[in-house]
Amino acid sequence: ALLPLMREDGTVVMVSSGMGELSCVSPALQGRFLAPDLDLPALSALMREFVDDVAHHRHREHGWPSSAYRVSKVGLNALTRVLAREHPKLRINAVCPGWVRTDMGGRSAPREVREGAASSVWAALLRPNGPTGGFFRDGQPIDW
């Protein structure tokens, strides 16, 4: 909904997680998420498959993890790639803040909030010729 309102050289920062790395799904699903022609309708259908598979207790046999959080981050990362391809003048990236000491991360998390936020700030301040369609932690690319 916001894309039409953005400046032509705008930046979108998706907050993802290392939990969204594709290694959590089967090789067959990895291929579908990485398909070069993946578009929004196909991604939406793929995500609905997970919901349907969970509802029918067959998600494991179809190569999905049991964690909806993980699958949501896999989907977010795929959405990042799709949107970056569809809107090449924008910079659209996903960042992983790491395990951060927050109410969600808990007291045992090794990173301070400032450290986790640094990835989002870095991505938000990218120059117009900066990377797009990537997944980053601490300004460095990480595997999908």
Side-chain angles (χ1 to χ4, degrees):
L2 290 174
L3 286 171
L5 303 175
M6 292 190 64
R7 289 185 2 201
E8 190 174 279
D9 63 345
T11 299
V12 176
V13 179
M14 306 281 208
V15 180
S16 189
S17 168
M19 296 288 281
E21 292 179 15
L22 279 174
S23 61
C24 74
V25 299
S26 71
L29 286 171
Q30 289 176 25
R32 293 175 67 192
F33 277 107
L34 290 172
D37 60 344
L38 184 69
D39 59 11
L40 289 177
L43 176 58
S44 293
L46 189 53
M47 299 305 288
R48 281 192 305 274
E49 272 183 46
F50 169 71
V51 173
D52 188 57
D53 283 347
V54 168
H56 292 93
H57 306 285
R58 60 179 182 231
H59 61 284
R60 289 276 209 198
E61 66 187 77
H62 289 178
W64 299 101
S66 290
S67 169
Y69 178 82
R70 290 191 89 159
V71 175
S72 74
K73 295 304 184 177
V74 168
L76 179 73
N77 290 345
L79 178 63
T80 299
R81 291 190 314 275
V82 169
L83 291 176
R85 189 178 65 245
E86 292 180 357
H87 302 276
K89 292 185 179 184
L90 297 174
R91 281 165 318 289
I92 303 174
N93 291 296
V95 298
C96 171
W99 186 20
V100 179
R101 282 189 298 275
T102 62
D103 289 343
M104 181 179 170
R107 295 181 191 173
S108 301
R111 303 186 97 185
E112 294 181 20
V113 171
R114 176 176 284 150
E115 291 174 283
S119 288
S120 294
V121 171
W122 170 84
L125 297 176
L126 285 171
R127 296 183 184 269
N129 62 346
T132 189
F135 186 26
F136 299 91
R137 182 184 301 119
D138 300 330
Q140 299 299 314
I142 55 178
D143 287 336
W144 291 106

